[in-house]
């Protein structure tokens, strides 16, 4: 039973990390640049959700506001929308003016945005740990010895819907095909009439919406502070390195592996040992498959 | 003949060095014009400048009845210019079918109609529609790129040395397909080295030399 419980918790955490990593990959693929602010955007998403909780609680009639569950339900879509809007602004401010510069310039620009985010949020909210409300209330199920919090299931459910939705968008729609084509050869995509700049803006909006969802979901069980971004960034980076640079599938798989170590392996050993083992596995994977588990080794034929 | 592309006094190049010097060119609706010239003379430069991948220094480019010289690449493409670039450039990680679909500005029945036209033109692509484009042979990639250009329902296709590096037998298939495309009334501007291998299907052959075009 304990194992099953760990599995659910591990899957929920992995799913939330998956959202973090997917957002990172979306911008990476669209711009070819590492968005070093991504962890800070996840953190900011948590604080956006906290601010929205206050706003929604004060707008909603008391009978809804009191219950918590309603606030949580409204919180997810509003956080997604606000973060998507911030994504468009982020694109406009930190990427568009530099789009003809080498990726390293954009990388530096995102570092600056990350610093502004963590310092700005620190100034606004203070440095104390905060948490978001649970999505569907704070209860838990018990099935025999198995105890699963509503929040774990909410995380899992929300992440499955968002990840599935993104997969559908990328694989089954013309917008998704165009995003993939533009990522592979933007100049050729433009020559076919594809509005690449618009797709890049869409990628930023999607990336930050996913970051917002992750921030909202994670900041319930694990408190966040304005300096939480660094650790989240590292997880996204690791997940993508394990899974394969640029691969959406790989990002989710890598995130799951990290969560498996943080919860499963840590429960058998200890947190530091689990972390050490995770890095050993990372090295082993990179040694055996430098392109990552799902990395596509796109070959060339004459 | 109704003019489709009218280029006047086009000067363009790289970093202050003009490769095209006050070049003049006209392509009529449905015409197939070949541009020949030796390696490095500026054929690719001309095609890039027409599509807007390379900013011009001066001169006018009219397409249809619009002045397109200041439009970005994607807008020129949307007006009906399509590119078959030098060196092919498929989207390697997309499947053959996706490479074609992604180019279509239309949905539903109209996109399927365009797909049928392409698969009719290049039957070999039909059996490979689920393969990733990088897995195709060079000749198949060239066919895919020509098909991809057709999917945009273009008025004019700019083809940059479409038979370069292909085996003679494959090259013949590609040339045959270009002939069919010309016959359905799509304008074609095709660059080739030295002499035109396209034979009777071209209406005119122009030679690019010292930044100018002259009838051969
Ligand atoms: N990106 C570039 N930067 C600078 N010079 C270039 C560039 N591309 C081509 N050139 C120069 O422009 C001239 C014409 O090149 P190009 O148009 O590629 O010729 P062609 O296609 O006829 O072989 C050549 O002298 C070439 O060296
Ligand atoms: Mg050339």
């Amino acid at each position: 039973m304990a194992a099953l419980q760990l599995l659910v918790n591990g899957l929920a955490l992995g799913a939330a990390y998956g959202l973090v990593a997917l957002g990172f990959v979306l911008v990476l693929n669209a711009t070819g640049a590492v968005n070093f602010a991504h962890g800070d955007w996840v953190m900011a998403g948590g604080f956006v959700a906290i601010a929205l909780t206050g706003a929604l609680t004060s707008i909603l009639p008391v009978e809804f506001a009191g219950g918590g569950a309603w606030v949580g339900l409204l919180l997810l879509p509003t956080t997604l929308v606000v973060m998507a809007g911030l994504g468009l602004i982020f694109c406009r401010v930190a990427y568009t003016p530099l789009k003809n510069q080498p990726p390293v310039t954009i990388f530096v620009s995102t570092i600056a945005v990350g610093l502004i985010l963590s310092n700005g949020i620190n100034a606004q909210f203070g440095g104390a740990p905060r948490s978001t409300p649970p999505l569907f209330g704070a209860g838990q199920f018990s099935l025999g010895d198995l105890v699963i919090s509503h929040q774990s299931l909410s995380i899992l459910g929300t992440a499955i819907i968002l990840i599935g939705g993104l997969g559908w968008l990328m694989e089954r729609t013309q917008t998704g095909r165009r995003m993939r084509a533009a990522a592979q050869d933007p100049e050729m995509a433009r020559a076919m009439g594809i509005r690449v700049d618009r797709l890049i803006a869409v990628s930023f909006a999607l990336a930050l919406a996913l970051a917002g969802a992750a921030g909202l979901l994670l900041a319930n069980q694990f408190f966040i502070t304005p300096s939480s971004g660094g650790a989240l960034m590292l997880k996204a980076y690791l997940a993508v390195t394990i899974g394969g640079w640029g691969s959406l599938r790989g990002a989710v798989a890598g995130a799951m592996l990290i969560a498996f170590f943080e919860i499963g392996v840590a429960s058998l050993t200890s947190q530091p040992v689990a972390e050490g083992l995770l890095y050993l596995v990372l090295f082993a994977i990179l040694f055996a498959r430098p392109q990552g588990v799902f990395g596509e080794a796109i070959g060339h034929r004459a | 003949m109704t003019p489709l592309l009218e280029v006047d006094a086009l000067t363009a190049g790289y970093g202050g060095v003009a490769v095209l010097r006050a070049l003049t060119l006209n392509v009529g609706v449905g015409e197939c014009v070949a541009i020949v010239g030796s390696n490095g003379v500026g054929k690719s430069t001309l095609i890039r400048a027409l599509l807007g991948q390379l900013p011009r220094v001066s001169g006018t480019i009219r397409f249809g009845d619009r002045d397109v010289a200041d439009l970005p690449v994607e807008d020129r493409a949307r007006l009906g210019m399509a590119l078959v670039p030098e060196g092919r450039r498929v989207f390697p990680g997309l499947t053959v079918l996706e490479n074609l679909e992604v180019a279509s500005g239309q949905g539903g029945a109209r996109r399927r109609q365009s797909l049928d036209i392409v698969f009719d033109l290049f039957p070999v692509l039909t059996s490979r529609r689920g393969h990733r484009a990088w897995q195709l042979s060079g000749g198949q990639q060239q066919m895919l790129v020509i098909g991809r250009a057709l999917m945009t329902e273009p008025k004019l296709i700019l083809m940059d040395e479409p038979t370069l590096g292909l085996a003679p037998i494959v090259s013949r298939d590609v040339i045959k397909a270009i002939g069919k495309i010309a016959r359905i009334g799509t304008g074609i501007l095709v660059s080739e080295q030295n002499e035109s291998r396209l034979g009777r299907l071209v209406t005119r052959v122009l030679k690019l030399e010292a930044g100018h075009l002259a009838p051969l």
Side-chain angles (χ1 to χ4, degrees), chain A:
Chain A
M1 272 303 141
L4 192 56
Q5 192 165 320
L6 283 177
L7 182 68
V8 174
N9 292 343
L11 283 176
L13 186 64
Y17 288 169
L19 293 175
V20 178
L22 281 174
F24 177 73
V25 175
L26 278 176
V27 170
L28 177 69
N29 286 351
T31 64
V34 165
N35 168 17
F36 203 74
H38 193 67
D40 289 304
W41 277 117
V42 176
M43 175 275 297
F47 279 94
V48 163
I50 288 165
L52 285 171
T53 306
L56 286 171
T57 310
S58 64
I59 299 169
L60 283 174
V62 266
E63 59 268 34
F64 293 130
W70 284 101
V71 173
L73 264 185
L74 276 176
L75 203 47
L76 179 64
T78 41
T79 303
L80 290 178
V81 170
V82 169
M83 289 297 288
L86 288 172
L88 295 178
I89 297 173
F90 177 42
C91 175
R92 193 57 194 267
V93 170
Y95 171 73
T96 307
L98 303 171
K99 64 180 177 186
N100 297 323
Q101 306 290 321
V104 66
T105 310
I106 296 157
F107 172 64
V108 171
S109 143
T110 64
I111 292 176
V113 169
L115 284 171
I116 292 168
L117 282 174
S118 60
N119 288 318
I121 288 171
N122 200 346
Q124 186 65 33
F125 292 84
R130 303 282 292 261
S131 70
T132 49
L135 218 49
F136 293 95
Q140 53 189 27
F141 290 107
S142 33
L143 273 171
D145 295 341
L146 182 66
V147 180
I148 296 170
S149 69
H150 290 177
Q151 180 67 6
S152 283
L153 287 181
S154 319
I155 292 183
L156 209 47
T158 307
I160 287 172
I161 292 169
L162 291 177
I163 293 171
L166 183 69
W168 174 80
L169 175 79
M170 296 306 288
E171 297 294 330
R172 298 265 169 264
T173 70
Q174 181 73 337
T175 303
R177 271 193 288 273
R178 295 195 150 187
M179 285 168 75
R180 285 184 288 139
Q184 289 173 25
D185 191 341
E187 190 187 42
M188 197 56 232
R190 284 197 179 88
M192 292 166 21
I194 295 175
R195 300 202 188 283
V196 174
D197 293 339
R198 223 177 265 178
L199 292 180
I200 290 174
V202 169
S203 300
F204 273 92
L206 285 173
L208 261 64
L210 294 180
L216 164 62
L217 296 173
L218 283 168
N220 172 248
Q221 287 178 317
F222 312 93
F223 292 93
I224 51 163
T225 73
S227 53
S228 297
L232 290 163
M233 184 68 237
L234 185 62
K235 290 190 211 300
Y237 207 93
L238 281 181
V240 170
T241 308
I242 292 169
W245 214 232
S247 159
L248 296 176
R249 232 170 275 242
V252 176
M256 284 292 172
L257 189 74
I258 293 173
F260 170 74
F261 274 84
E262 284 187 6
I263 290 197
V265 179
S267 79
L268 296 174
T269 58
S270 67
Q271 196 65 53
V273 171
E275 200 172 328
L277 287 175
L278 172 62
Y279 280 93
L280 277 180
V281 169
L282 171 72
F283 283 126
I285 289 173
L286 289 185
F287 192 75
R289 261 183 87 81
Q291 74 272 33
V293 177
F294 284 78
E296 235 181 297
I298 287 180
H300 291 278
R301 289 182 61 164

Side-chain angles (χ1 to χ4, degrees), chain B residues 9-149:
Chain B
L10 177 66
T11 297
Y14 305 91
V17 182
V19 174
L20 312 173
R21 303 198 186 93
L23 174 141
T24 297
L25 166 69
N26 289 294
V27 180
V29 170
E31 211 187 354
C32 178
V33 175
I35 304 236
V36 299
S38 46
N39 205 1
V41 80
K43 303 179 295 296
S44 299
T45 302
L46 172 59
I47 284 173
R48 290 168 55 78
L50 293 178
L51 194 62
Q53 292 179 326
L54 180 74
R56 61 157 184 175
V57 176
S58 59
T60 60
I61 305 172
R62 291 187 70 77
F63 184 63
D65 44 14
R66 295 203 37 182
D67 179 359
V68 299
D70 291 318
L71 291 183
V73 177
E74 50 267 47
D75 288 355
R76 297 190 209 191
R78 280 164 175 258
L79 286 173
M81 281 191 195
L83 176 68
V84 173
E86 190 171 28
R88 307 195 262 274
R89 289 172 71 174
V90 294
F91 296 116
L94 269 56
T95 64
V96 167
L97 183 61
E98 286 175 334
N99 263 277
L100 297 173
E101 286 180 317
V102 77
S104 174
Q106 308 292 332
R110 187 131 160 225
R111 188 189 298 170
R112 278 196 296 278
Q113 208 174 354
S114 301
L115 280 172
D116 287 343
I117 293 175
V118 173
F119 285 127
D120 272 355
L121 195 61
F122 302 115
V124 63
L125 294 181
T126 315
S127 58
R128 313 219 64 181
R129 57 204 285 157
H131 288 75
R132 306 266 161 196
W134 68 263
Q135 298 173 308
L136 301 185
S137 70
Q140 290 167 347
Q141 288 191 354
Q142 187 60 270
M143 294 172 192
L144 180 57
V145 170
I146 293 173
R148 186 178 64 184

